């Protein structure tokens, strides 16, 4: 039966940051839940996303929050940084401060992308007008009355109107009446006469608005002096140039009075200065608790806080970007910017229109213009808010700031939520205090979307579709069929898996398992997937519609991506859900995934024994067992298992991979080369990791001491252009280095081509230890010491395997590049026993052993090199190793 759902309608009044973030969340929630939605954005501005804050084109006007904290999505903190990287700023980091105009473009583009994704589910209208009043309807909806005369009905309305306008109550009547007084400096064209005038300017207020205007007005007009005046005379503090560290919130924040809270915070700040040399970590640790602390205070305590600590809090909590602080410092040093403490007592207008402004301390400033930078007022003053307050539909919030709400829904004069009217951001300031910044607004927007578009009720019970191994899927039949196709391709190691999975989530945007599988392929296999985005979609969908197994798998992928005990979570998941083939593929290190890093042979065997009953001899499980047996050195048994799996499924890439290792580890180089070459040219033409099989053939050719064949293989099947991304790094890069180590490559190594084919982030900030190992090899082959040291620094702060294995490996490789061969050999030798933790196969990790052999010979330690070669020849015969041993001096 077709599921017909009533279309819900939501009107958003205001299309600045708050309105845009709300619209994004509504679009994505409706799309994910397949809930039809009519969305109307009401704002006279020409472009959504900018509002007042992000319309300025001045490149000196920067965000006062680092880019890493400005994502539109609370569950995808890196989204804005990734957007900047894709839009002309590839080197930006989360610690950088983007321009305000770029952020406005980001918001507009994010909304556009959300609308494109939700096409067919969400119908959107953009009305460039004002909403002036609203009334309730008998059926519980809202009727908005617009400035252009038309009414608009909506099931729910969100008032995303931003902060209240400045009242200029501080200004004497003569000043408010003067044409030289600007009460709304950010209005379009308001500053044009000031910019065209050479006169000095007085800014009343010393917050972030004053800082932005001071830079524009002082630096653009040589000879002009800008004065800034406030009661405190305090400018915003700058952000730290680098991360100062993190600390937990202090004890003593529960059920406390303002006096006790004040003492606890001051002690916390002192502790932060002693520990970190900086007060900022202390203040930042309070941010998640600010709203709760504000609500715990009595009205009298709130007023006392605003009077005594308000200015101090604002200047330390709302900081300047470091570059902005540097401009301000230079302007003050050059005496282009003067900061004064006090208030405006009286103003006299001269014959030429200039203003003589007398301050409370008696000082007189002469200025051609006075600009109100005092910030938002307490009472919301737009026609719509005036109508709501006048009718009693809304009432002012605590201390007269903003509006009274209950979890964002407006309360009327009787304390009821009578109409479906909601707000977020600045209008909740009296209730939450800290609610005007994007990190708070995006959370409120997500919560509003959840509230306005509730989950659909339970459907008529029906049989759920299953994956290829009989496990139920929380989706519909079409998406399940696409998912089964993608899973089958993953298990066979064939191309097109990510396309099939992408089709599954396109058919069902709320399919948690599909999003999680895409995130896993992007993270571990370098598939072209926006991993954080897919992971966030998986987490949202799992909360809304998933069974215990699917939620567990989403948690596993989340932990693997974030490095938070992902291996342990994966093993636990398989104990509870042994038939989850994708999880098993991720756990056992083979060709597709790096596996569980600390999984020893016996542990892996127990894991396969544990899951064996769920597969009953299935070719996939048999192929994994074959790979494990060859890692244990049980080569004959591994070969038999691989042939058994191939007999059941000739396209099983895992079985082919196991057999390739059997040939290599047994020293059957000619037979292995010929058999695998035939498979690659036949059934393996569509293998997703075809380059890896070519790499295996090239290993045989290296072992056979056939440099000409290695070069031909490289240019025909492994050179960048034929191979790209992760396979170029793992296979092409390591092959070049191994060829150089064994004197099997004449001339310059084309390592630059390999490095150019891999994203710089993958090379220097890899997500897994397995990727980091091969990044270190490629950078060593290229002799890129600075990048190698950046990789070391990343590894030192990453997961335990990267910290304990990759970081010292980078040190040893750096010693090799600098020809400190004895030190390199010692470092590499110490790492061999723990190298297995990196994951991958013994053949892949062998590159470290071969580098050690090179370092030993270069250090003159020929006896140690001879012992290492003897051990290698005992494991498997190879003409190349025999040549290298014969060449060692006696």
């Amino acid at each position: 039966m077709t599921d017909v759902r009533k279309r819900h309608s939501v009107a958003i009044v205001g299309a600045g940051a708050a309105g845009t973030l709300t619209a994004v969340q509504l679009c994505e929630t409706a799309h994910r839940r397949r809930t039809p939605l009519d969305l109307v954005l009401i704002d006279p501005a020409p472009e959504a996303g900018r509002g007042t804050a992000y319309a300025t084109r001045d490149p000196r006007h920067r965000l006062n929050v680092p880019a890493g904290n400005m994502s539109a999505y609370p569950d995808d903190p890196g989204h804005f940084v990734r957007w900047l990287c894709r839009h002309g700023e590839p080197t930006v980091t989360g610690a950088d401060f983007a321009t305000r105009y770029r952020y406005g473009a980001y918001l507009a583009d994010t909304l556009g992308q959300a609308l494109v994704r939700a096409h067919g589910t969400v119908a959107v209208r953009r009305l460039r007008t004002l909403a002036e009043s609203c009334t309730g309807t008998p059926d519980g909806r809202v009727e908005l009355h617009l400035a252009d005369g038309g009414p608009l009905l909506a099931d729910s309305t969100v008032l995303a109107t931003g902060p209240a306008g400045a009242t200029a109550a501080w200004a004497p009547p003569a000043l408010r009446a003067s044409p030289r007084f600007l009460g709304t400096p950010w209005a379009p064209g308001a500053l044009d006469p000031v910019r065209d005038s050479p006169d000095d300017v007085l800014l009343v207020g010393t917050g972030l608005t004053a800082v932005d205007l001071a830079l524009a007005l002082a630096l653009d007009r040589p000879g002009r002096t800008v004065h800034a005046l406030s009661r405190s005379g305090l400018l915003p503090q700058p952000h730290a140039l680098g991360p100062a560290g993190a600390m937990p919130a202090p004890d003593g924040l529960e059920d406390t009075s303002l006096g006790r809270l004040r003492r606890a915070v001051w002690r916390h700040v002192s502790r932060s200065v002693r520990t970190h040399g900086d007060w900022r970590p202390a203040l930042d640790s309070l941010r998640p608790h600010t709203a709760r602390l504000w609500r715990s205070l009595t009205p009298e305590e709130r007023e006392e806080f605003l009077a005594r600590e308000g200015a101090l809090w604002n200047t330390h909590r709302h900081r300047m970007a470091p570059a902005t602080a540097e401009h301000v410092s230079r302007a003050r040093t050059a005496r282009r910017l003067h900061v004064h403490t006090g208030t405006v007592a009286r103003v006299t207008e001269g014959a030429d229109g200039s203003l003589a402004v007398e301050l409370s301390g008696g000082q007189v400033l002469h200025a051609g213009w006075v600009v109100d930078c005092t910030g938002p007022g307490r009472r919301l003053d737009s026609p719509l808010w005036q109508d709501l307050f006048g009718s009693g539909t809304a009432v002012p919030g605590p201390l007269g700031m903003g509006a009274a709400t209950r979890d964002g829904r407006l309360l009327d004069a009787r304390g009821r939520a009578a109409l479906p009217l909601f707000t977020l951001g600045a209008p909740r300031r009296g209730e939450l205090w800290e609610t005007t910044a994007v990190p708070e607004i995006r959370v409120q927007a997500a919560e509003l979307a959840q509230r306005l578009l509730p989950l659909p009720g339970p459907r008529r019970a029906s049989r759920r579709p299953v994956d290829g191994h009989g496990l139920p899927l929380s989706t519909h039949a079409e998406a399940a069929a696409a998912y089964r196709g993608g899973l089958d391709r993953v298990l066979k190691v064939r191309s097109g898996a990510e396309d099939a999975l992408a089709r599954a989530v396109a058919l069902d945007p709320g399919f948690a398992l599909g999003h999680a599988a895409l995130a896993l392929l992007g993270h571990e296999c370098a598939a072209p997937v926006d991993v954080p985005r897919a992971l966030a979609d998986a987490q949202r969908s799992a909360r809304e519609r998933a069974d215990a197994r699917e939620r567990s798998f989403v948690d596993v992928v989340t932990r693997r991506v974030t490095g938070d005990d992902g291996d342990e979570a994966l093993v636990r998941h398989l104990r509870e859900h042994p038939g989850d083939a994708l999880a098993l593929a991720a756990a056992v290190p083979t060709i597709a995934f790096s596996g569980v890093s600390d999984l020893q042979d016996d542990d892996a065997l127990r894991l396969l024994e544990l899951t064996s009953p769920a597969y009953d001899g299935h070719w996939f499980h048999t192929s994994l067992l074959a790979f494990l047996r060859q890692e244990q050195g049980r080569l004959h048994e591994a070969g038999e298992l691989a042939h058994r799996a191939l007999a059941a499924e000739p396209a099983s890439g895992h079985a082919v991979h196991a057999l390739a290792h059997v040939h290599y580890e047994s020293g059957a180089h000619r037979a292995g080369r010929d058999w695998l070459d035939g498979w690659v040219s036949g059934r393996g033409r569509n293998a997703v990791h075809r380059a890896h099989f070519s790499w295996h053939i090239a290993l045989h050719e290296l072992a056979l001491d056939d440099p000409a064949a290695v070069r031909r293989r490289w240019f025909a099947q492994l050179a960048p252009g034929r191979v790209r991304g992760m396979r170029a790094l793992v296979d092409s890069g390591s092959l070049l280095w191994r060829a150089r180590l064994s004197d099997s490559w004449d001339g310059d190594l084309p390592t630059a081509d390999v490095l150019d084919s891999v994203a710089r982030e993958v090379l220097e900030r890899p997500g897994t230890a397995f990727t980091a190992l091969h990044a270190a090899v490629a950078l060593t082959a290229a002799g890129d010491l600075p990048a190698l040291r950046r990789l070391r620094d990343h590894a030192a702060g990453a997961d335990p395997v990267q910290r304990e294995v990759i970081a010292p490996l980078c040190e040893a490789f750096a010693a090799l590049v600098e020809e400190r061969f004895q030190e390199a050999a010692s470092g590499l030798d110490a790492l061999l026993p723990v190298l297995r933790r990196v994951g991958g196969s013994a053949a892949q990790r062998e590159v470290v052993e071969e580098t050690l052999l090179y370092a030993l010979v270069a250090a003159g330690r020929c006896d140690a090199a001879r012992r290492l070669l003897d051990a290698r020849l005992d494991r498997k015969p190879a003409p190349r190793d025999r040549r290298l041993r014969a060449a060692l001096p006696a």
Side-chain angles (χ1 to χ4, degrees):
M1 180 181 292
T2 303
D3 182 22
V4 179
R5 303 183 189 179
K6 175 184 176 295
R7 296 190 72 86
H8 191 80
S9 59
V10 177
I12 301 177
V13 180
T20 299
L21 291 172
T22 304
V24 167
Q25 291 292 340
L26 284 168
C27 286
E28 302 218 340
T29 302
H31 182 49
R32 186 172 62 253
R33 296 177 177 178
R34 289 176 284 164
T35 301
L37 173 65
D38 291 324
L39 183 63
V40 186
L41 275 75
I42 305 167
D43 194 309
E47 186 178 0
R50 296 207 176 276
T52 299
Y54 309 119
T56 170
R57 291 179 176 269
D58 193 323
R60 291 166 300 203
H61 293 166
R62 295 191 169 269
L63 299 174
N64 61 304
V65 175
N69 292 336
M70 290 295 286
S71 167
Y73 300 99
D75 52 3
D76 184 4
H79 188 261
F80 178 43
V81 175
R82 299 198 306 278
W83 184 90
L84 288 171
C85 291
R86 292 194 303 267
H87 290 79
E89 300 182 48
T91 61
V92 73
T93 71
D96 293 327
F97 293 79
T99 65
R100 294 180 179 274
Y101 194 80
R102 289 286 277 169
Y103 189 70
Y106 161 71
L107 290 178
D109 185 61
T110 301
L111 175 57
Q113 294 297 321
L115 290 170
V116 169
R117 286 191 296 272
H119 179 71
T121 303
V122 177
V124 64
R125 283 191 293 160
R126 175 82 157 83
L127 304 181
R128 291 185 57 185
T129 184
L130 286 170
E132 295 186 326
S133 63
C134 80
T135 55
T137 65
D139 59 356
R141 294 191 290 172
V142 173
E143 182 176 357
L144 292 167
H145 305 281
L146 307 180
D148 59 11
L152 176 70
L153 283 172
D155 294 315
S156 307
T157 297
V158 178
L159 306 183
T161 54
T167 62
W170 55 268
L175 179 59
R176 290 200 296 271
S178 172
R180 296 296 188 106
F181 174 66
L182 299 182
T184 54
W186 293 120
L191 291 175
D192 291 346
V194 185
R195 290 192 176 98
D196 295 338
S197 165
D199 297 334
D200 292 348
V201 178
L202 170 62
L203 309 176
V204 180
T206 57
L208 292 168
T209 296
V211 167
D212 282 344
L213 293 181
L215 293 181
L217 299 176
L219 301 181
D220 286 347
R221 177 67 68 170
R224 169 184 283 160
T225 299
V226 174
H227 300 273
L229 169 72
S230 71
R231 293 178 184 274
S232 66
L234 298 175
L235 289 171
Q237 291 291 312
H239 279 279
L241 291 174
M247 59 190 305
D251 297 328
L253 297 184
E254 302 293 336
D255 300 324
T256 184
S257 68
L258 178 60
R260 289 195 294 270
L261 177 61
R262 183 183 287 124
R263 289 190 293 273
V265 169
W266 278 116
R267 286 195 300 268
H268 187 50
V269 170
S270 299
R271 187 161 52 249
S272 177
V273 172
R274 291 194 304 271
T275 304
H276 301 285
D278 193 348
W279 50 266
R280 294 172 182 84
L283 210 60
D284 293 342
S285 72
L286 297 174
R287 186 166 188 167
H289 308 278
T290 303
R292 177 179 60 79
L293 294 174
W294 177 258
R295 285 195 295 262
S296 72
L297 300 178
T298 66
E300 295 75 19
E301 287 176 324
R302 294 178 188 176
E303 283 284 16
E304 181 186 345
F305 168 77
L306 293 179
R308 289 185 54 180
E309 282 94 15
L312 193 64
W313 171 269
N314 285 330
T315 56
H316 287 74
R317 168 66 184 79
H318 303 286
R319 305 168 203 150
M320 294 184 281
T324 302
E326 178 64 21
H327 285 307
V328 168
S329 177
R330 290 179 181 177
R332 297 188 74 178
T333 300
R335 303 190 64 77
R336 305 284 305 283
L337 172 63
H338 296 265
V339 180
H340 307 271
T341 302
T343 60
V344 174
R346 64 178 55 85
V347 175
T348 305
E349 186 171 349
D352 59 353
S354 63
L355 301 173
V357 182
E358 183 179 341
L359 307 186
S360 52
Q363 181 182 4
V364 177
L365 300 177
H366 295 276
W369 305 88
V370 175
V371 184
D372 187 355
C373 302
T374 55
R378 291 195 177 190
R379 187 175 179 87
L380 299 163
D381 55 359
S382 71
L384 177 58
W385 282 110
Q386 289 178 358
D387 173 74
L388 292 171
F389 290 141
S391 65
T393 305
V395 293
L399 306 187
M401 293 192 293
T405 72
R406 182 183 299 125
D407 297 326
R409 187 165 182 174
L410 294 185
L411 300 177
D412 63 14
R414 299 172 63 182
R416 303 173 306 168
L419 292 180
L421 289 169
F422 302 83
T423 192
L424 76 165
R428 298 184 66 184
R429 187 164 171 244
E431 173 194 358
L432 302 176
W433 176 237
E434 285 290 339
T435 181
T436 58
V438 165
E440 283 77 31
I441 294 174
R442 67 190 180 195
V443 172
Q444 296 172 26
E447 291 171 347
L448 269 182
Q450 299 289 317
R451 186 169 183 180
L452 296 179
L453 299 175
L455 280 167
R459 301 186 182 185
R460 178 174 56 85
S462 61
R463 182 179 177 129
R464 292 165 65 193
V466 296
D467 69 6
H469 296 264
L471 298 179
L473 301 172
S474 297
T475 187
H476 55 71
E478 288 181 280
Y483 178 81
R484 283 194 297 272
L487 178 60
D488 183 66
R489 290 177 176 275
V490 170
L491 302 186
K492 290 179 180 175
V493 197
R494 299 188 71 78
S495 60
E498 61 267 24
D499 293 335
L501 294 170
R503 187 163 61 254
V505 297
L507 289 166
D508 180 5
F511 184 21
L513 208 57
H515 290 298
L518 279 171
L520 182 66
L521 290 183
H523 176 64
E524 300 214 8
C525 305
V529 175
D530 187 341
V531 173
R533 198 83 213 99
L535 192 59
D537 287 334
Q539 292 165 342
R540 295 174 195 162
S541 301
R543 288 192 294 267
E544 296 176 358
R545 171 167 47 92
D547 63 19
R549 176 187 69 98
E550 292 166 323
R551 288 194 297 273
S552 175
F553 186 79
V554 169
D555 179 62
V556 164
V557 177
T558 300
R559 290 175 182 275
R560 286 183 76 81
V561 170
T562 60
D564 180 17
D565 295 328
D567 290 347
E568 292 182 15
L570 179 53
V571 173
R572 284 197 306 271
H573 175 84
L574 283 168
R575 290 196 184 104
E576 296 174 8
H577 310 284
D580 194 330
L582 185 54
L584 185 60
V588 179
T590 61
I591 189 172
F593 300 100
S594 59
V596 175
S597 59
D598 286 329
L599 201 65
Q600 301 300 315
D601 290 342
D602 292 342
D603 298 327
L605 180 60
R606 282 193 290 270
L607 191 58
L608 287 179
E609 289 173 345
L610 170 71
T611 56
S612 179
Y615 293 90
D616 191 24
H618 190 276
W619 60 264
F620 169 65
H621 194 273
T622 302
S623 66
L624 295 185
L625 184 57
F627 187 84
L628 176 60
R629 290 304 189 207
Q630 66 80 26
E631 284 282 292
Q632 294 175 313
R634 297 161 64 171
L635 301 179
H636 180 73
E637 184 180 350
E640 288 185 344
L641 289 167
H643 282 298
R644 187 188 308 168
L646 286 169
E649 177 49 74
S652 171
H654 286 297
V656 172
H657 189 222
L659 199 54
H661 278 271
V662 168
H663 285 136
Y664 183 71
E665 299 299 340
S666 64
H669 298 302
R670 286 185 174 81
R673 175 197 61 192
D674 296 342
W675 181 85
L676 193 52
D677 205 7
W679 186 85
V680 167
S681 302
R683 288 188 177 274
R685 283 195 300 269
N686 293 323
V688 66
H689 297 303
R690 188 171 183 269
H692 187 66
F693 294 113
S694 297
W695 173 81
H696 270 282
I697 302 171
L699 284 192
H700 287 305
E701 291 165 340
L702 270 177
L704 291 168
D705 215 12
D706 191 349
V710 173
R711 290 181 74 94
R712 286 194 301 271
R713 185 76 53 187
W714 161 268
F715 287 110
Q717 297 175 355
L718 288 164
R722 299 183 180 278
V723 184
R724 62 181 61 87
M726 187 63 71
R727 289 267 65 103
L729 178 64
V730 171
D731 299 322
S732 308
S734 68
L735 177 66
L736 281 178
W737 181 234
R738 292 168 84 150
R740 165 54 57 84
L741 292 173
S742 60
D743 298 324
S744 299
W745 190 284
D746 293 329
D748 294 335
L749 287 181
T751 49
D753 296 336
V754 174
L755 297 181
D756 289 343
S757 69
V758 184
R760 181 58 56 175
E761 183 164 344
V762 173
L763 285 171
E764 297 182 10
R765 296 187 293 277
T768 67
F770 178 77
T771 303
L773 165 65
H774 288 87
V777 168
L779 294 172
T780 301
D784 192 341
L785 272 174
L788 194 58
R789 288 182 172 130
R790 289 193 292 272
L791 173 60
R792 174 204 60 193
D793 294 342
H794 162 80
D799 59 83
V801 180
Q802 292 205 52
R803 287 199 304 272
E804 296 162 18
V805 181
I806 299 300
L809 182 70
C810 290
E811 293 280 6
F813 279 165
L816 187 78
V817 173
E818 293 179 327
E819 299 186 356
R820 294 180 281 117
F821 297 117
Q822 177 61 45
E823 186 178 336
S826 299
L828 294 171
D829 188 48
L831 287 169
L832 288 184
V834 298
L835 198 60
R836 187 186 185 90
R837 298 178 63 195
V838 168
S841 67
Q844 289 171 316
R845 298 188 298 269
E846 195 178 49
V847 67
V848 177
E849 184 183 72
E850 294 183 0
T851 308
L852 169 60
L853 177 62
Y854 177 87
L856 289 171
V857 174
R861 295 175 56 187
C862 294
D863 286 343
R866 186 175 294 107
R867 288 192 297 272
L868 180 55
L869 280 168
D870 286 343
R872 286 168 60 89
L873 287 167
D874 286 342
R875 288 202 309 266
K876 56 177 177 284
R880 176 199 55 184
D881 284 358
R882 286 197 294 269
R883 170 178 62 83
L884 292 174
R885 191 188 188 289
L888 289 174

